[in-house]
Amino acid sequence: MDLQQISELERAARTGRGELLRLGIGVLFIVGVMFYAGMRGNGEASLILVMAAMIGGYMAMNIGANDVANNVGPAVGSRALSLAGALVIAAVFEAAGALIAGGEVVGTIRNGIIDPDLIPDADTFVWIMLAALLAGALWLNIATAVGAPVSTTHSIVGAVLGAGMAAAGPAIVDWATMGNIAASWVISPLLGGVFAAGFLYLVKRSITYQADMAEAACRMVPLLVGLMAWTFATYLILKGLNKVWKVGFVAALGYGFVVGIGVTLLVRRLVSGRNGIVANTKQSVNRLFTVPLIFAAALLSFAHGSNDVANAVGPLAAIVDVVTHEGVISKAAAIPTWVMMVGAIGISLGLALFGPKVIRTVGSEITELDQMRAYCIAMAATITVIVASQFGLPVSSTHIAVGGVFGVGFLREYLKSNYDRMLSEIKAHHPEGDQAAIEGFIARFEKASVEEKGAMLRDLKERSKNAEDPAHFSKGERKNLKKVYRRELVKRSQLLRIAAAWVITVPASALMAAILFFTIRGMMVS
C-alpha cells in the first residue's frame, strides 16, 4: 500500500469519525429527552410520553437540518456570512423565537386537517399523532440526506392526513384545507420568484445599470435597507411576536414604518460618510448589503422558530394534553415549557449537526448569489408571507425562499440573453471588418445608462437603415449571433429534483404515516 492510498484511507476515516460524532450527539439528545419524559409520567402514560418525546425530538432535529437552511442559505451563498457564523446565528435566534414567542399549538395541525370528533377514542388519537410525528421526521430525514429543501409544514400535514385516514377513513379529512395546501405548491414558489426577480430588477435599474454606481448606491442603498427594515419589523410583529404581542396589520405596518425611517436615516449617514470609500464597482456596492443580510438571517430565524416549532412539538403537546387530561379535548392546548425546550434545542442542534448540506443547496447549488441577490430573496420571503397572510393565501416559507432563488437566477438568464442580443445588433449594424468601431461603440455602450443604451441602439439602427446589410452577414450568421454568450445560470437538475420533492412530500409522508399507524396500533393492541 503506497502513501497516497494511506492518505486517502485517513481522509475517509476522518470523514467517518465526523459523521459518527454528529450521530452520537443527536442520539444523546434524544436519549436525554426520553429520560426526562419518563420522569413525568407513570405506568403506561410514562411509556407513551417517552415514545412521543423521542419522536418529537427527532422531528425537531430534522426541521433544524432542513427548514432553517432557507433563512440563512442565501446569506451564506452570497458570502455575507460564513457557514459557521450562519449556524451560530440561526441556532441562537431559532431557539429564542421558539421559547419567547412560540407559545401555542398551531390549530391546523391538531384539528384543522382531521376532525377529532370522528376519532373513536383517546388511544387512537395518540397513535395518529405518534405515527404523524415519526412519518414527518423520516421524510424530512430523507429529504435532508439528498439535499432537497422541502416544507416541514407540508410534511407534518401530510402525515396527519395519512394517519387520520388510516384510523377513520377519508371522511375524517378536511378536504378544503388540503386543497388550499395543494394550491400553495404553485402559489408559494411563484410569488417568491416574482417578488425576488422584481426587487433584483429594481436594484439593477437603480444602481448597477447606472454609469456612476457609487453615487447611485449612496442614494439608493439607504432606501433599500430602510425598506427591508420596514418589512422585517412588520413581519416580526405579525408573525414572530404574535404570541406575546397582539397587534393588527395596520398598526404593525405603522410600527414597521417608523423603524424603517430610522434605519434609512442611519444608513444614509453611514454611507455618506463613506462616499469616497465606495468605489464605482459592483463588488464595492455589494459590500453595503452585508450587514443588512446578517440581520435578515437573524430575524428570519427568530420568526421561523416562533412559528414552525409547532410542526415539531404540536403533535407532541397534543399527546401530552391527552395523557394529562385522560381524553381528547376540543380546544388547542398550551405547550408546556419542557416540550418547548425539546423543540427549541432540537431545531438548533439539528441545524448545527446536519444543516450545512441543505444550506449549500439553497445558497450555492441553484444559481450564483451575491449580496444584492440575497437581499432580494430575503425581501421576497418577508413580503410574500405578509401579503399572502393578509389575503388568506396558503404559502410555504420554504417554497417562497427557494422560489426566490430560482426567480433571481431566471431573471439573470433573461437579462444576460437580452444584453447579448443588444451586442449582436451592434455588430450587425457595423461594417464587416470595422472591429475598432465595434469595440469603441461597445465600450461606450457598456458605460451608458439604460436610457442612453436605448438611444444609442435606435440611433445606430437609424443610421444603417438605408444600407444593404452593412455587415454583410448571412441569415444563418445573424441567427448564430443571437445565441452568442447564451448561458444557463440556473441548474435545471436542481429545479427538477426540488420540484419533485415538493410534489411528493404530502403523499409520501401520508403513506408512511398510514403504515406506521397500523404498525403502532398492532403493537399497542397486542
Side-chain angles (χ1 to χ4, degrees):
M1 183 178 292
D2 57 26
L3 289 176
Q4 183 177 357
Q5 291 174 320
I6 294 174
S7 298
E8 289 175 354
L9 285 174
E10 289 177 346
R11 282 195 296 270
R14 282 196 297 270
T15 302
R17 284 196 296 269
E19 293 291 338
L20 190 60
L21 177 63
R22 285 193 289 273
L23 180 61
I25 294 173
V27 170
L28 283 176
F29 166 71
I30 293 175
V31 170
V33 170
M34 291 170 62
F35 273 114
Y36 185 82
M39 293 187 297
R40 300 188 65 87
N42 296 309
E44 185 178 347
S46 177
L47 175 61
I48 294 174
L49 278 179
V50 168
M51 292 175 59
M54 175 187 69
I55 300 171
Y58 177 50
M59 177 67 169
M61 290 180 63
N62 279 286
I63 290 177
N66 192 286
D67 209 31
V68 181
N70 308 307
N71 304 325
V72 298
V76 173
S78 66
R79 295 180 178 85
L81 274 172
S82 66
L83 181 58
L87 291 173
V88 171
I89 288 174
V92 170
F93 281 89
E94 284 281 339
L99 294 174
I100 295 171
E104 297 178 0
V105 176
V106 175
T108 302
I109 294 176
R110 177 162 191 189
N111 52 24
I113 303 163
I114 59 176
D115 184 358
D117 294 334
L118 298 180
I119 298 175
D121 52 59
D123 288 341
T124 303
F125 180 82
V126 170
W127 301 337
I128 290 174
M129 290 299 159
L130 283 175
L133 261 181
L134 184 55
L138 288 172
W139 173 247
L140 286 176
N141 204 157
I142 293 170
T144 303
V146 300
V150 297
S151 170
T152 55
T153 303
H154 289 183
S155 300
I156 193 65
V157 164
V160 172
L161 166 73
M165 289 181 63
I172 197 175
V173 179
D174 185 342
W175 292 107
T177 299
M178 291 307 304
N180 289 336
I181 292 169
S184 74
W185 295 340
V186 178
I187 294 172
S188 298
L190 283 181
L191 284 178
V194 168
F195 277 121
F199 275 109
L200 181 59
Y201 189 67
L202 171 64
V203 170
K204 286 183 173 293
R205 284 294 299 260
S206 60
I207 299 178
T208 59
Y209 286 174
Q210 300 299 314
D212 189 347
M213 278 191 287
E215 190 277 332
C218 291
R219 183 180 67 253
M220 287 299 301
V221 167
L223 295 175
L224 292 170
V225 175
L227 179 61
M228 171 183 262
W230 182 10
T231 57
F232 269 72
T234 304
Y235 177 76
L236 191 62
I237 293 170
L238 289 174
K239 307 298 289 184
L241 299 176
N242 61 332
K243 306 292 191 308
V244 294
W245 186 23
K246 296 292 184 181
V247 178
F249 177 68
V250 175
L253 277 178
Y255 289 126
F257 183 74
V258 173
V259 173
I261 291 294
V263 171
T264 300
L265 296 176
L266 176 62
V267 175
R268 179 168 290 166
R269 183 175 180 180
L270 293 174
V271 171
S272 63
R274 299 178 55 190
N275 198 11
I277 302 176
V278 179
N280 193 33
T281 63
K282 189 175 179 182
Q283 291 77 9
S284 180
V285 174
N286 256 314
R287 285 196 291 270
L288 297 176
F289 289 92
T290 299
V291 174
L293 279 173
I294 294 173
F295 279 99
L299 291 174
L300 281 172
S301 297
F302 182 90
H304 178 272
S306 68
N307 283 275
D308 282 25
V309 69
N311 293 330
V313 299
L316 172 57
I319 294 170
V320 172
D321 183 50
V322 169
V323 172
T324 303
H325 293 84
E326 298 182 353
V328 182
I329 58 175
S330 59
K331 64 180 182 178
I335 301 180
T337 302
W338 74 271
V339 175
M340 288 299 303
M341 290 295 295
V342 170
I345 297 174
I347 287 176
S348 301
L349 197 60
L351 169 68
L353 296 177
F354 306 108
K357 187 167 187 176
V358 180
I359 289 175
R360 292 190 186 97
T361 298
V362 176
S364 59
E365 295 180 4
I366 296 175
T367 191
E368 184 181 351
L369 296 177
D370 58 20
Q371 286 93 324
M372 283 185 282
R373 296 167 198 153
Y375 162 87
C376 298
I377 294 165
M379 286 293 294
T382 53
I383 289 182
T384 303
V385 170
I386 292 171
V387 171
S389 63
Q390 294 311 304
F391 284 96
L393 298 174
V395 292
S396 162
S397 59
T398 301
H399 293 188
I400 292 168
V402 176
V405 176
F406 279 111
V408 162
F410 284 124
L411 178 68
R412 291 178 61 216
E413 282 192 5
Y414 169 77
L415 294 176
K416 175 65 71 175
S417 62
N418 190 52
Y419 185 73
D420 292 338
R421 282 195 297 270
M422 291 182 183
L423 292 184
S424 70
E425 287 184 10
I426 292 171
K427 294 176 182 179
H429 289 87
H430 276 85
E432 184 180 18
D434 193 0
Q435 190 63 31
I438 293 175
E439 291 177 354
F441 188 93
I442 290 176
R444 296 194 303 275
F445 183 79
E446 289 177 342
K447 294 179 180 179
S449 65
V450 176
E451 293 76 13
E452 291 170 342
K453 284 183 171 70
M456 291 174 70
L457 285 175
R458 288 192 297 272
D459 180 63
L460 183 62
K461 292 177 182 178
E462 186 67 27
R463 286 190 285 110
S464 62
K465 185 183 294 181
N466 299 324
E468 291 185 18
D469 192 10
H472 307 295
F473 289 149
S474 68
K475 185 176 180 180
E477 288 171 329
R478 288 181 182 277
K479 187 175 181 180
N480 288 333
L481 273 175
K482 293 183 179 181
K483 295 181 179 179
V484 173
Y485 300 119
R486 185 175 182 181
R487 285 174 269 181
E488 286 189 355
L489 302 179
V490 177
K491 293 182 181 178
R492 267 60 174 179
S493 59
Q494 291 285 11
L495 173 62
L496 295 175
R497 183 168 63 89
I498 292 172
W502 287 355
V503 170
I504 66 174
T505 289
V506 169
S509 59
L511 179 60
M512 292 169 65
I515 295 172
L516 287 169
F517 171 79
F518 289 123
T519 303
I520 292 171
R521 187 179 66 175
M523 293 170 58
M524 292 297 187
V525 171
S526 61

